[in-house]
Amino acid sequence: MFCHVEPEQVICIHDVSSIYRVPLLLEDQGIVDYFCHRLNLPIEMRPRKMLTKWKEMSDRSDRLLEQTSIALVGKYTKLSDSYASVIKALEHSALAINYKLEVKYIDSADLEPAALQEEPVKYHEAWQKLCSADGVLVPGGFGVRGTEGKIQAINWARRQKKPFLGVCLGMQLAVCEFARNVLGWADSNSTEFDPETKHPVVIEMPEHNPGQMGGTMRLGKRRTLFKSTSSVLRKLYGDAEYVDERHRHRFEVNPELKHHFEDKGFRFVGQDLEGERMEIIELEDHPYFVGVQYHPEFTSRPIKPSPPYFGLLLAASGKLQNYLQKGCRLSPRDTYSDRSGSSSPDSEISEIKFPSLS
């Protein structure tokens, strides 16, 4: 009455059980019809069909019974928003297999031997969290603090055959861990942390000039070619020959040392177009040990989870081998219906028809 807002323009967004219910709440109140009328948008397609799978996903999120846990080993764990895109990618994957997600946040510094002397309670609590998790994720980051703790977590996941995913720095540290404990190069490191190491398994990109401020990172969408037809990650990507994913890094695996790793079953199954940059690693004789130089969480979407994260959740829940044996198909219980006619609402946006204005 006093702010010149029509009653039909008032939309009630009350508390709901999950954020995925908000679009359904808005659509139920006719917000799309109102916008079409108010903005004179003669759209021929209504979102109800588009939101069919979205509603199924929202319903599923409210009645999940089984649970799987992922240990997120990082250095910014006191503020979970630091890993917001990572957490969402895990959620998307957990929902896709009908599992409730529990994230165990572990400060990587608490896993280091020094923590046992300084703060033994935190040390033992961190290791208890790690050992009780169904899978391990080491995300990206910068700086030397906590890196040795991440390497400890990677070493434990490799030896205990625990599903592992390393993203960006997580992949680089997996290379360092393998070089130290399998190849026997005890001082192996990234030149980011030890410029004088005799075994620089991770190095600065050739075009990176550390003395120049700005524009020193490899950013944006880049193409990665699969070099192996037996790659687990390739199968998870739908047996694709290549993938386009977003990057954000200054350091890379030293390509000159590649053959030392592959001789021991540590495979570089994905490389850039020139074959100079190592983009994807996989470890033979392991349920799921994968590292990617890019950031797959940036392209993860509800109903369309990121394949590397999806593989981690499948492995953590004990479903990966069955999924691969079935030709990368979920069981009927886990599959969303096809009544909406597409794999995700994203793909149907392009189908919205606007009549010609001419």
Side-chain angles (χ1 to χ4, degrees):
M1 181 181 298
F2 300 110
C3 60
H4 306 289
V5 176
E6 296 291 336
E8 60 268 23
Q9 292 177 301
V10 178
I11 303 297
C12 174
I13 308 181
H14 55 74
D15 288 352
V16 286
S17 56
S18 77
I19 194 172
Y20 302 115
R21 290 208 171 276
V22 174
L24 301 172
L25 180 64
L26 294 173
E27 208 279 330
D28 284 342
Q29 296 183 66
I31 194 169
V32 176
D33 288 335
Y34 177 76
F35 275 134
C36 289
H37 169 71
R38 187 71 177 83
L39 302 177
N40 193 24
L41 297 176
I43 300 175
E44 296 177 2
M45 176 183 171
R46 289 293 182 263
R48 177 51 60 187
K49 176 185 175 186
M50 187 189 302
L51 290 174
T52 299
K53 287 185 182 178
W54 190 277
K55 184 177 186 307
E56 291 181 21
M57 180 188 66
S58 301
D59 292 341
R60 175 180 291 186
S61 68
D62 290 340
R63 58 171 187 261
L64 297 173
L65 299 177
E66 296 178 280
Q67 179 172 294
T68 188
S69 59
I70 300 296
L72 193 157
V73 183
K75 57 191 289 186
Y76 316 115
T77 53
K78 289 182 175 61
L79 184 64
S80 61
D81 278 1
S82 300
Y83 299 109
S85 55
V86 170
I87 301 304
K88 286 301 176 185
L90 291 171
E91 285 183 4
H92 301 159
S93 298
L95 271 174
I97 58 172
N98 254 324
Y99 270 70
K100 185 183 296 184
L101 173 68
E102 179 191 6
V103 178
K104 296 175 180 280
Y105 294 97
I106 301 175
D107 189 326
S108 55
D110 292 341
L111 297 171
E112 297 176 358
L116 177 60
Q117 304 300 323
E118 298 168 5
E119 296 184 279
V121 173
K122 283 188 176 181
Y123 175 84
H124 290 295
E125 287 178 347
W127 275 102
Q128 193 278 331
K129 283 184 182 179
L130 181 67
C131 295
S132 61
D134 299 313
V136 179
L137 169 65
V138 178
F142 295 94
V144 69
R145 183 179 68 82
T147 53
E148 292 301 319
K150 293 178 181 180
I151 290 177
Q152 292 280 344
I154 295 168
N155 174 263
W156 180 84
R158 179 179 60 81
R159 290 186 296 105
Q160 299 297 321
K161 308 287 188 183
K162 193 66 77 169
F164 165 79
L165 174 63
V167 175
C168 197
L169 177 62
M171 167 191 161
Q172 296 171 6
L173 293 179
V175 173
C176 293
E177 188 280 326
F178 193 86
R180 291 181 185 183
N181 299 302
V182 178
L183 300 184
W185 301 343
D187 73 328
S188 296
N189 215 329
S190 166
T191 56
E192 179 183 4
F193 312 128
D194 182 6
E196 304 302 322
T197 176
K198 294 180 181 178
H199 293 96
V201 295
V202 177
I203 59 175
E204 285 180 299
M205 294 185 298
E207 66 269 31
H208 173 210
N209 180 3
Q212 178 182 345
M213 297 297 288
T216 60
M217 298 186 76
R218 184 168 180 248
L219 296 169
K221 186 167 73 171
R222 310 276 178 158
R223 179 156 294 182
T224 296
L225 301 178
F226 283 105
K227 299 297 183 179
S228 169
T229 56
S230 61
S231 162
V232 171
L233 203 53
R234 176 172 179 162
K235 294 175 184 177
L236 291 169
Y237 272 105
D239 201 29
E241 294 182 1
Y242 62 85
V243 294
D244 294 318
E245 293 276 12
R246 289 169 58 185
H247 292 67
R248 184 179 179 81
H249 64 105
R250 288 191 183 95
F251 292 80
E252 63 181 8
V253 175
N254 189 342
E256 296 181 2
L257 303 177
K258 168 187 169 186
H259 63 281
H260 293 287
F261 290 86
E262 296 197 323
D263 289 344
K264 296 290 187 178
F266 192 93
R267 301 186 301 148
F268 296 95
V269 299
Q271 299 174 21
D272 70 346
L273 294 173
E274 290 76 29
E276 298 174 352
R277 292 196 165 94
M278 307 299 108
E279 297 276 2
I280 304 172
I281 62 168
E282 289 182 10
L283 185 61
E284 294 177 354
D285 192 30
H286 195 285
Y288 189 79
F289 192 98
V290 171
V292 292
Q293 183 59 72
Y294 50 82
H295 289 265
E297 64 271 16
F298 291 162
T299 53
S300 183
R301 298 290 183 269
I303 309 178
K304 192 178 180 182
S306 164
Y309 286 90
F310 188 50
L312 177 64
L313 266 295
L314 283 168
S317 61
K319 293 186 174 186
L320 179 60
Q321 290 307 314
N322 189 46
Y323 178 78
L324 295 175
Q325 290 170 3
K326 289 184 175 180
C328 293
R329 294 181 182 275
L330 290 169
S331 66
R333 184 178 76 94
D334 298 329
T335 306
Y336 296 111
S337 79
D338 288 326
R339 285 176 291 165
S340 63
S342 77
S343 60
S344 73
D346 287 348
S347 60
E348 286 194 352
I349 292 174
S350 60
E351 298 177 13
I352 296 178
K353 301 292 192 299
F354 290 89
S356 174
L357 298 178
S358 59

Tab-separated table of all heavy atoms in Angstrom, residues 267-310:
chain	number	residue	atom	x	y	z
A	267	ARG	N	50.820	-43.122	-13.547
A	267	ARG	CA	50.603	-42.778	-14.950
A	267	ARG	C	50.098	-41.351	-15.126
A	267	ARG	O	49.232	-40.893	-14.381
A	267	ARG	CB	49.603	-43.750	-15.579
A	267	ARG	CG	50.057	-45.213	-15.520
A	267	ARG	CD	49.121	-46.105	-16.279
A	267	ARG	NE	47.759	-46.027	-15.751
A	267	ARG	CZ	46.651	-46.160	-16.478
A	267	ARG	NH1	46.748	-46.354	-17.775
A	267	ARG	NH2	45.465	-46.098	-15.918
A	268	PHE	N	50.624	-40.679	-16.133
A	268	PHE	CA	50.143	-39.359	-16.533
A	268	PHE	C	49.210	-39.577	-17.725
A	268	PHE	O	49.647	-39.603	-18.878
A	268	PHE	CB	51.311	-38.447	-16.889
A	268	PHE	CG	52.227	-38.159	-15.727
A	268	PHE	CD1	53.373	-38.915	-15.524
A	268	PHE	CD2	51.918	-37.161	-14.816
A	268	PHE	CE1	54.216	-38.666	-14.450
A	268	PHE	CE2	52.745	-36.909	-13.727
A	268	PHE	CZ	53.893	-37.661	-13.546
A	269	VAL	N	47.915	-39.755	-17.432
A	269	VAL	CA	46.962	-40.167	-18.460
A	269	VAL	C	46.359	-39.001	-19.226
A	269	VAL	O	45.684	-39.204	-20.233
A	269	VAL	CB	45.826	-41.008	-17.840
A	269	VAL	CG1	46.377	-42.257	-17.190
A	269	VAL	CG2	45.036	-40.190	-16.828
A	270	GLY	N	46.601	-37.774	-18.761
A	270	GLY	CA	46.088	-36.599	-19.458
A	270	GLY	C	47.162	-35.543	-19.585
A	270	GLY	O	47.873	-35.254	-18.615
A	271	GLN	N	47.297	-34.978	-20.803
A	271	GLN	CA	48.304	-33.947	-21.037
A	271	GLN	C	47.696	-32.819	-21.864
A	271	GLN	O	46.620	-32.980	-22.456
A	271	GLN	CB	49.522	-34.539	-21.754
A	271	GLN	CG	50.225	-35.644	-20.975
A	271	GLN	CD	51.324	-36.315	-21.771
A	271	GLN	OE1	51.844	-35.752	-22.727
A	271	GLN	NE2	51.679	-37.530	-21.369
A	272	ASP	N	48.406	-31.685	-21.937
A	272	ASP	CA	47.889	-30.574	-22.733
A	272	ASP	C	48.097	-30.859	-24.217
A	272	ASP	O	48.634	-31.910	-24.605
A	272	ASP	CB	48.551	-29.257	-22.310
A	272	ASP	CG	50.020	-29.188	-22.713
A	272	ASP	OD1	50.592	-30.230	-23.079
A	272	ASP	OD2	50.594	-28.085	-22.659
A	273	LEU	N	47.667	-29.933	-25.068
A	273	LEU	CA	47.704	-30.148	-26.517
A	273	LEU	C	49.116	-30.389	-27.037
A	273	LEU	O	49.321	-31.139	-27.991
A	273	LEU	CB	47.085	-28.948	-27.236
A	273	LEU	CG	45.580	-28.730	-27.016
A	273	LEU	CD1	45.121	-27.419	-27.645
A	273	LEU	CD2	44.780	-29.895	-27.580
A	274	GLU	N	50.110	-29.754	-26.413
A	274	GLU	CA	51.494	-29.904	-26.865
A	274	GLU	C	52.190	-31.110	-26.228
A	274	GLU	O	53.316	-31.442	-26.597
A	274	GLU	CB	52.298	-28.630	-26.540
A	274	GLU	CG	51.911	-27.411	-27.372
A	274	GLU	CD	50.601	-26.797	-26.917
A	274	GLU	OE1	50.277	-26.914	-25.705
A	274	GLU	OE2	49.885	-26.229	-27.755
A	275	GLY	N	51.532	-31.748	-25.255
A	275	GLY	CA	52.138	-32.879	-24.568
A	275	GLY	C	53.230	-32.484	-23.607
A	275	GLY	O	54.044	-33.315	-23.181
A	276	GLU	N	53.287	-31.195	-23.235
A	276	GLU	CA	54.329	-30.703	-22.353
A	276	GLU	C	53.887	-30.610	-20.904
A	276	GLU	O	54.713	-30.652	-19.996
A	276	GLU	CB	54.807	-29.316	-22.831
A	276	GLU	CG	55.422	-29.334	-24.223
A	276	GLU	CD	55.747	-27.936	-24.715
A	276	GLU	OE1	55.353	-26.963	-24.029
A	276	GLU	OE2	56.373	-27.817	-25.777
A	277	ARG	N	52.588	-30.460	-20.669
A	277	ARG	CA	52.088	-30.289	-19.304
A	277	ARG	C	51.299	-31.525	-18.889
A	277	ARG	O	50.408	-31.989	-19.606
A	277	ARG	CB	51.213	-29.039	-19.206
A	277	ARG	CG	52.028	-27.765	-19.385
A	277	ARG	CD	51.256	-26.543	-18.911
A	277	ARG	NE	52.163	-25.425	-18.759
A	277	ARG	CZ	52.391	-24.500	-19.702
A	277	ARG	NH1	51.753	-24.588	-20.853
A	277	ARG	NH2	53.237	-23.520	-19.492
A	278	MET	N	51.616	-32.011	-17.691
A	278	MET	CA	50.931	-33.173	-17.144
A	278	MET	C	49.655	-32.695	-16.452
A	278	MET	O	49.710	-31.928	-15.491
A	278	MET	CB	51.825	-33.912	-16.156
A	278	MET	CG	53.196	-34.285	-16.703
A	278	MET	SD	53.138	-35.385	-18.145
A	278	MET	CE	53.620	-34.256	-19.452
A	279	GLU	N	48.502	-33.151	-16.931
A	279	GLU	CA	47.217	-32.638	-16.455
A	279	GLU	C	46.461	-33.605	-15.549
A	279	GLU	O	45.716	-33.187	-14.671
A	279	GLU	CB	46.324	-32.287	-17.655
A	279	GLU	CG	46.872	-31.189	-18.542
A	279	GLU	CD	46.547	-29.806	-18.024
A	279	GLU	OE1	45.935	-29.702	-16.952
A	279	GLU	OE2	46.907	-28.825	-18.691
A	280	ILE	N	46.617	-34.912	-15.776
A	280	ILE	CA	45.866	-35.914	-15.004
A	280	ILE	C	46.804	-37.055	-14.623
A	280	ILE	O	47.548	-37.559	-15.464
A	280	ILE	CB	44.681	-36.482	-15.807
A	280	ILE	CG1	43.746	-35.366	-16.286
A	280	ILE	CG2	43.899	-37.498	-14.969
A	280	ILE	CD1	42.658	-35.851	-17.237
A	281	ILE	N	46.755	-37.445	-13.354
A	281	ILE	CA	47.529	-38.598	-12.900
A	281	ILE	C	46.581	-39.684	-12.392
A	281	ILE	O	45.495	-39.392	-11.887
A	281	ILE	CB	48.523	-38.234	-11.779
A	281	ILE	CG1	47.768	-37.712	-10.544
A	281	ILE	CG2	49.540	-37.221	-12.266
A	281	ILE	CD1	48.610	-37.605	-9.291
A	282	GLU	N	47.001	-40.931	-12.548
A	282	GLU	CA	46.281	-42.072	-11.984
A	282	GLU	C	47.306	-43.095	-11.517
A	282	GLU	O	48.361	-43.255	-12.145
A	282	GLU	CB	45.329	-42.697	-13.014
A	282	GLU	CG	44.116	-41.851	-13.340
A	282	GLU	CD	43.168	-42.529	-14.323
A	282	GLU	OE1	43.363	-43.739	-14.592
A	282	GLU	OE2	42.251	-41.855	-14.822
A	283	LEU	N	46.979	-43.766	-10.448
A	283	LEU	CA	47.874	-44.769	-9.891
A	283	LEU	C	47.298	-46.157	-10.161
A	283	LEU	O	46.128	-46.425	-9.869
A	283	LEU	CB	48.039	-44.555	-8.379
A	283	LEU	CG	49.037	-45.455	-7.654
A	283	LEU	CD1	50.438	-45.260	-8.205
A	283	LEU	CD2	48.998	-45.174	-6.159
A	284	GLU	N	48.110	-47.013	-10.743
A	284	GLU	CA	47.673	-48.394	-10.993
A	284	GLU	C	47.536	-49.145	-9.670
A	284	GLU	O	48.141	-48.790	-8.674
A	284	GLU	CB	48.681	-49.102	-11.906
A	284	GLU	CG	48.743	-48.528	-13.320
A	284	GLU	CD	49.794	-49.220	-14.164
A	284	GLU	OE1	50.546	-50.057	-13.609
A	284	GLU	OE2	49.879	-48.928	-15.370
A	285	ASP	N	46.737	-50.198	-9.681
A	285	ASP	CA	46.562	-51.052	-8.504
A	285	ASP	C	46.067	-50.258	-7.303
A	285	ASP	O	46.596	-50.375	-6.194
A	285	ASP	CB	47.869	-51.785	-8.173
A	285	ASP	CG	47.656	-52.897	-7.133
A	285	ASP	OD1	46.550	-53.462	-7.116
A	285	ASP	OD2	48.581	-53.171	-6.353
A	286	HIS	N	45.082	-49.419	-7.530
A	286	HIS	CA	44.478	-48.626	-6.456
A	286	HIS	C	43.010	-48.405	-6.811
A	286	HIS	O	42.676	-48.185	-7.975
A	286	HIS	CB	45.194	-47.288	-6.315
A	286	HIS	CG	44.884	-46.557	-5.041
A	286	HIS	ND1	43.687	-45.912	-4.829
A	286	HIS	CD2	45.630	-46.366	-3.909
A	286	HIS	CE1	43.699	-45.357	-3.618
A	286	HIS	NE2	44.859	-45.618	-3.038
A	287	PRO	N	42.101	-48.483	-5.813
A	287	PRO	CA	40.667	-48.314	-6.111
A	287	PRO	C	40.343	-47.002	-6.811
A	287	PRO	O	39.531	-46.957	-7.735
A	287	PRO	CB	40.005	-48.378	-4.728
A	287	PRO	CG	40.977	-49.109	-3.869
A	287	PRO	CD	42.334	-48.770	-4.391
A	288	TYR	N	40.973	-45.911	-6.368
A	288	TYR	CA	40.752	-44.607	-7.007
A	288	TYR	C	41.792	-43.638	-6.466
A	288	TYR	O	41.664	-43.114	-5.366
A	288	TYR	CB	39.345	-44.090	-6.713
A	288	TYR	CG	38.963	-42.851	-7.514
A	288	TYR	CD1	38.559	-42.954	-8.842
A	288	TYR	CD2	38.999	-41.583	-6.941
A	288	TYR	CE1	38.198	-41.828	-9.581
A	288	TYR	CE2	38.639	-40.458	-7.666
A	288	TYR	CZ	38.240	-40.587	-8.979
A	288	TYR	OH	37.886	-39.465	-9.709
A	289	PHE	N	42.833	-43.432	-7.235
A	289	PHE	CA	43.883	-42.481	-6.858
A	289	PHE	C	44.089	-41.582	-8.065
A	289	PHE	O	44.766	-41.946	-9.022
A	289	PHE	CB	45.169	-43.213	-6.496
A	289	PHE	CG	46.204	-42.326	-5.828
A	289	PHE	CD1	46.327	-42.310	-4.447
A	289	PHE	CD2	47.046	-41.520	-6.584
A	289	PHE	CE1	47.284	-41.505	-3.825
A	289	PHE	CE2	48.000	-40.712	-5.978
A	289	PHE	CZ	48.119	-40.707	-4.593
A	290	VAL	N	43.470	-40.398	-8.016
A	290	VAL	CA	43.422	-39.509	-9.174
A	290	VAL	C	43.859	-38.113	-8.769
A	290	VAL	O	43.537	-37.632	-7.674
A	290	VAL	CB	41.983	-39.453	-9.760
A	290	VAL	CG1	41.857	-38.366	-10.817
A	290	VAL	CG2	41.600	-40.805	-10.344
A	291	GLY	N	44.605	-37.457	-9.645
A	291	GLY	CA	44.965	-36.062	-9.442
A	291	GLY	C	44.763	-35.296	-10.733
A	291	GLY	O	45.029	-35.815	-11.823
A	292	VAL	N	44.266	-34.076	-10.627
A	292	VAL	CA	44.048	-33.240	-11.806
A	292	VAL	C	44.674	-31.869	-11.567
A	292	VAL	O	44.568	-31.314	-10.476
A	292	VAL	CB	42.542	-33.088	-12.136
A	292	VAL	CG1	41.960	-34.414	-12.601
A	292	VAL	CG2	41.749	-32.571	-10.944
A	293	GLN	N	45.331	-31.333	-12.593
A	293	GLN	CA	45.952	-30.020	-12.469
A	293	GLN	C	44.914	-28.904	-12.526
A	293	GLN	O	45.106	-27.829	-11.971
A	293	GLN	CB	46.992	-29.834	-13.575
A	293	GLN	CG	47.759	-28.528	-13.506
A	293	GLN	CD	48.513	-28.344	-12.199
A	293	GLN	OE1	49.510	-29.013	-11.956
A	293	GLN	NE2	48.035	-27.453	-11.348
A	294	TYR	N	43.814	-29.160	-13.189
A	294	TYR	CA	42.755	-28.155	-13.327
A	294	TYR	C	41.803	-28.198	-12.129
A	294	TYR	O	41.967	-29.002	-11.209
A	294	TYR	CB	42.003	-28.355	-14.641
A	294	TYR	CG	41.531	-29.768	-14.902
A	294	TYR	CD1	40.353	-30.252	-14.336
A	294	TYR	CD2	42.257	-30.634	-15.723
A	294	TYR	CE1	39.915	-31.546	-14.586
A	294	TYR	CE2	41.825	-31.928	-15.970
A	294	TYR	CZ	40.657	-32.373	-15.400
A	294	TYR	OH	40.220	-33.663	-15.633
A	295	HIS	N	40.799	-27.335	-12.168
A	295	HIS	CA	39.826	-27.239	-11.079
A	295	HIS	C	38.451	-27.698	-11.575
A	295	HIS	O	37.633	-26.879	-12.014
A	295	HIS	CB	39.739	-25.800	-10.559
A	295	HIS	CG	40.941	-25.358	-9.799
A	295	HIS	ND1	41.031	-25.432	-8.420
A	295	HIS	CD2	42.127	-24.858	-10.224
A	295	HIS	CE1	42.212	-24.982	-8.034
A	295	HIS	NE2	42.892	-24.628	-9.110
A	296	PRO	N	38.153	-28.989	-11.496
A	296	PRO	CA	36.881	-29.485	-12.032
A	296	PRO	C	35.663	-29.000	-11.258
A	296	PRO	O	34.549	-29.026	-11.771
A	296	PRO	CB	37.032	-31.008	-11.943
A	296	PRO	CG	38.026	-31.231	-10.847
A	296	PRO	CD	38.978	-30.077	-10.927
A	297	GLU	N	35.855	-28.546	-10.013
A	297	GLU	CA	34.712	-28.074	-9.224
A	297	GLU	C	34.066	-26.838	-9.845
A	297	GLU	O	32.881	-26.562	-9.612
A	297	GLU	CB	35.136	-27.765	-7.781
A	297	GLU	CG	36.137	-26.636	-7.617
A	297	GLU	CD	37.578	-27.084	-7.675
A	297	GLU	OE1	37.832	-28.218	-8.141
A	297	GLU	OE2	38.452	-26.305	-7.269
A	298	PHE	N	34.813	-26.098	-10.665
A	298	PHE	CA	34.266	-24.879	-11.260
A	298	PHE	C	33.159	-25.167	-12.271
A	298	PHE	O	32.349	-24.292	-12.574
A	298	PHE	CB	35.376	-24.071	-11.945
A	298	PHE	CG	36.364	-23.457	-10.993
A	298	PHE	CD1	37.603	-23.028	-11.434
A	298	PHE	CD2	36.064	-23.298	-9.645
A	298	PHE	CE1	38.523	-22.460	-10.561
A	298	PHE	CE2	36.972	-22.735	-8.763
A	298	PHE	CZ	38.203	-22.314	-9.224
A	299	THR	N	33.130	-26.367	-12.819
A	299	THR	CA	32.107	-26.700	-13.819
A	299	THR	C	31.100	-27.727	-13.308
A	299	THR	O	30.267	-28.208	-14.079
A	299	THR	CB	32.768	-27.237	-15.112
A	299	THR	OG1	33.644	-28.320	-14.787
A	299	THR	CG2	33.576	-26.140	-15.795
A	300	SER	N	31.168	-28.075	-12.030
A	300	SER	CA	30.193	-29.006	-11.467
A	300	SER	C	28.836	-28.317	-11.326
A	300	SER	O	28.761	-27.134	-10.997
A	300	SER	CB	30.665	-29.497	-10.099
A	300	SER	OG	29.771	-30.451	-9.568
A	301	ARG	N	27.755	-29.055	-11.593
A	301	ARG	CA	26.413	-28.512	-11.519
A	301	ARG	C	25.475	-29.525	-10.845
A	301	ARG	O	25.701	-30.732	-10.933
A	301	ARG	CB	25.860	-28.197	-12.915
A	301	ARG	CG	26.644	-27.138	-13.681
A	301	ARG	CD	26.461	-25.762	-13.082
A	301	ARG	NE	27.161	-24.723	-13.840
A	301	ARG	CZ	28.399	-24.320	-13.602
A	301	ARG	NH1	29.100	-24.876	-12.625
A	301	ARG	NH2	28.964	-23.372	-14.325
A	302	PRO	N	24.422	-29.062	-10.186
A	302	PRO	CA	23.426	-30.009	-9.682
A	302	PRO	C	22.891	-30.839	-10.848
A	302	PRO	O	22.677	-30.325	-11.944
A	302	PRO	CB	22.340	-29.099	-9.098
A	302	PRO	CG	23.026	-27.807	-8.805
A	302	PRO	CD	24.074	-27.657	-9.865
A	303	ILE	N	22.706	-32.119	-10.619
A	303	ILE	CA	22.237	-33.096	-11.607
A	303	ILE	C	23.314	-33.424	-12.630
A	303	ILE	O	23.233	-34.426	-13.328
A	303	ILE	CB	20.943	-32.641	-12.336
A	303	ILE	CG1	19.893	-32.211	-11.318
A	303	ILE	CG2	20.348	-33.770	-13.181
A	303	ILE	CD1	18.608	-31.715	-11.942
A	304	LYS	N	24.366	-32.631	-12.723
A	304	LYS	CA	25.457	-32.888	-13.660
A	304	LYS	C	26.786	-32.712	-12.923
A	304	LYS	O	27.504	-31.743	-13.132
A	304	LYS	CB	25.369	-31.936	-14.853
A	304	LYS	CG	26.270	-32.303	-16.013
A	304	LYS	CD	26.070	-31.323	-17.153
A	304	LYS	CE	26.968	-31.675	-18.328
A	304	LYS	NZ	26.814	-30.690	-19.433
A	305	PRO	N	27.115	-33.649	-12.027
A	305	PRO	CA	28.315	-33.483	-11.189
A	305	PRO	C	29.608	-33.606	-11.984
A	305	PRO	O	29.641	-34.220	-13.057
A	305	PRO	CB	28.185	-34.609	-10.164
A	305	PRO	CG	27.350	-35.649	-10.841
A	305	PRO	CD	26.394	-34.896	-11.719
A	306	SER	N	30.659	-33.039	-11.440
A	306	SER	CA	31.982	-33.111	-12.057
A	306	SER	C	32.502	-34.548	-12.003
A	306	SER	O	32.509	-35.170	-10.938
A	306	SER	CB	32.938	-32.183	-11.312
A	306	SER	OG	34.277	-32.496	-11.620
A	307	PRO	N	32.959	-35.118	-13.129
A	307	PRO	CA	33.419	-36.521	-13.148
A	307	PRO	C	34.506	-36.864	-12.131
A	307	PRO	O	34.409	-37.920	-11.490
A	307	PRO	CB	33.888	-36.713	-14.593
A	307	PRO	CG	33.022	-35.782	-15.380
A	307	PRO	CD	32.869	-34.566	-14.504
A	308	PRO	N	35.557	-36.051	-11.920
A	308	PRO	CA	36.552	-36.448	-10.906
A	308	PRO	C	35.962	-36.545	-9.500
A	308	PRO	O	36.283	-37.480	-8.748
A	308	PRO	CB	37.600	-35.324	-10.989
A	308	PRO	CG	37.473	-34.803	-12.377
A	308	PRO	CD	36.006	-34.873	-12.687
A	309	TYR	N	35.088	-35.610	-9.142
A	309	TYR	CA	34.442	-35.664	-7.831
A	309	TYR	C	33.439	-36.816	-7.771
A	309	TYR	O	33.304	-37.486	-6.741
A	309	TYR	CB	33.736	-34.337	-7.533
A	309	TYR	CG	34.683	-33.219	-7.178
A	309	TYR	CD1	35.217	-32.384	-8.156
A	309	TYR	CD2	35.058	-32.994	-5.853
A	309	TYR	CE1	36.097	-31.369	-7.829
A	309	TYR	CE2	35.943	-31.971	-5.516
A	309	TYR	CZ	36.455	-31.163	-6.516
A	309	TYR	OH	37.327	-30.152	-6.191
A	310	PHE	N	32.737	-37.029	-8.868
A	310	PHE	CA	31.768	-38.127	-8.928
A	310	PHE	C	32.478	-39.468	-8.729
A	310	PHE	O	32.001	-40.337	-7.997
A	310	PHE	CB	31.050	-38.087	-10.273
A	310	PHE	CG	29.902	-39.049	-10.392
A	310	PHE	CD1	28.917	-39.100	-9.414
A	310	PHE	CD2	29.793	-39.893	-11.484
A	310	PHE	CE1	27.845	-39.986	-9.521
A	310	PHE	CE2	28.731	-40.772	-11.597
A	310	PHE	CZ	27.755	-40.819	-10.621
